Amino acid sequence: MCPTSTVSLMHRSPCSTSAPLRSSQKSAAQTSANSDSLSDKFSAALAKNKEWAAKCSQEHPELLPTLAVGQHPEILWIGCSDSRCPETTILGLLPGDVFTHRNIANVIHPADLSSGAVIEFAVRHLRVKHVVICGHTKCGGVAAALGNKGLGILDPWLIPLRQLREQHLADLQSLSQDEAVVKLAELNVKEGLKALTQKSVVLEAMQERGLQVHGLIYDVGSGVLRELDAAEPEDAIKARLTSFKTDA
């Protein structure tokens, strides 16, 4: 959630003799500069796409033609929409390796049709071998849930995070802000794994073909992934199977 931005500097020509800009002129110039910066970034991205496609075809000549026929990813990645957390890049993998769903703060809402459809398709039809829920440090959505500012449409989306905050309030209040963000991000991932394994399609795949689920935290400052201990008691697993697994 909290993407960083870059601002390009505009230089006047060395031969310029114009008078200093008034306040209103500066504001208009800054607006124009920001617009040009965004336009340049997008144009550069389109140009780089052609370079990337050529390089990819050279280094992996069979990759793109193979992907044109179909996809066979082994990993479903459920992560945050944050621009600093591009899953295929940080995993060092290639296009076609990771099926992806991303949203604000990687929240799993049981009734969310978007994430539910992705999970159903990835597990039942693509038959992925691993499902990953990944949170990250410096998450804006998590930080927002630790605050009390109204955020409009984001407020109902962040309810699961606020519920976790309520349940662990004393522990979270004993930590620094940065530590609390990491702690709540970890709790959110574990809660997401619980919601994930309450889905019958996931339980079925775990039982019948050994589907594995994983919880990770990505450190945006170092680029390193850390796996969380998501082990559960046997009786908790049995209770979930009894309560949530349904017949087709």
Side-chain angles (χ1 to χ4, degrees), residues 10 19 48 72-73 104 119:
M10 294 189 67
K48 286 184 177 181
H72 303 283
I104 300 298
I119 293 166

Side-chain angles (χ1 to χ4, degrees), residues 20 30 38 42 44 49 66 91 99 109 126 146 157 159 162 172 177 183 193 197-198 200 244:
Q30 185 61 50
L38 290 173
F42 180 68
N49 166 255
T66 299
L91 291 171
F99 197 69
H109 282 264
L126 295 177
L146 285 168
W157 182 259
I159 284 176
R162 293 194 182 279
L172 292 168
Q177 176 66 16
K183 181 64 176 178
L193 289 173
T197 54
Q198 288 173 346
S200 186
F244 289 96

Side-chain angles (χ1 to χ4, degrees), residues 30-220:
Q30 185 61 50
T31 300
S32 176
N34 290 339
S35 176
D36 290 344
S37 176
L38 290 173
S39 175
D40 289 346
K41 178 70 72 175
F42 180 68
S43 298
L46 288 180
K48 286 184 177 181
N49 166 255
K50 294 180 175 62
E51 295 174 10
W52 170 83
K55 183 179 180 181
C56 186
S57 295
Q58 182 178 18
E59 294 179 352
H60 309 280
E62 300 301 320
L63 177 63
L64 298 180
T66 299
L67 292 179
V69 176
Q71 61 172 327
H72 303 283
E74 294 190 8
I75 301 168
L76 166 59
W77 179 280
I78 301 171
C80 182
S81 299
D82 196 300
S83 63
R84 300 166 293 180
C85 308
E87 64 292 327
T88 303
T89 301
I90 65 180
L91 291 171
L93 296 177
L94 294 170
D97 288 336
V98 186
F99 197 69
T100 305
H101 176 81
R102 293 168 68 177
N103 62 46
I104 300 298
N106 48 274
V107 175
I108 303 293
H109 282 264
D112 175 34
L113 292 179
S114 179
S115 63
V118 169
I119 293 166
E120 177 83 17
F121 184 75
V123 174
R124 189 178 301 282
H125 301 286
L126 295 177
R127 297 178 66 82
V128 296
K129 297 179 180 179
H130 303 270
V131 180
V132 174
I133 299 179
C134 184
H136 65 96
T137 61
K138 307 295 183 180
C139 180
V142 172
L146 285 168
N148 292 92
K149 182 179 179 180
L151 298 169
I153 191 62
L154 282 174
D155 286 327
W157 182 259
L158 295 176
I159 284 176
L161 283 166
R162 293 194 182 279
Q163 290 172 332
L164 288 171
R165 177 189 178 189
E166 177 187 24
Q167 294 163 18
H168 301 272
L169 188 59
D171 288 341
L172 292 168
Q173 288 180 332
S174 70
L175 302 172
S176 69
Q177 176 66 16
D178 285 347
E179 291 172 333
V181 169
V182 173
K183 181 64 176 178
L184 187 53
E186 293 174 349
L187 293 169
N188 181 43
V189 168
K190 291 181 178 180
E191 191 69 15
L193 289 173
K194 181 179 177 181
L196 178 69
T197 54
Q198 288 173 346
K199 293 184 178 294
S200 186
V201 65
V202 173
L203 290 170
E204 179 183 303
M206 292 175 71
Q207 270 195 315
E208 295 183 0
R209 57 181 183 85
L211 174 71
Q212 297 180 39
V213 298
H214 312 270
L216 303 178
I217 293 292
Y218 175 64
D219 187 331
V220 297

Side-chain angles (χ1 to χ4, degrees), residues 224-241:
V224 175
L225 288 164
R226 171 169 57 90
E227 187 159 15
L228 301 179
D229 180 8
E232 290 187 296
E234 189 68 26
D235 58 345
I237 297 172
K238 288 180 178 179
R240 189 165 302 137
L241 283 167

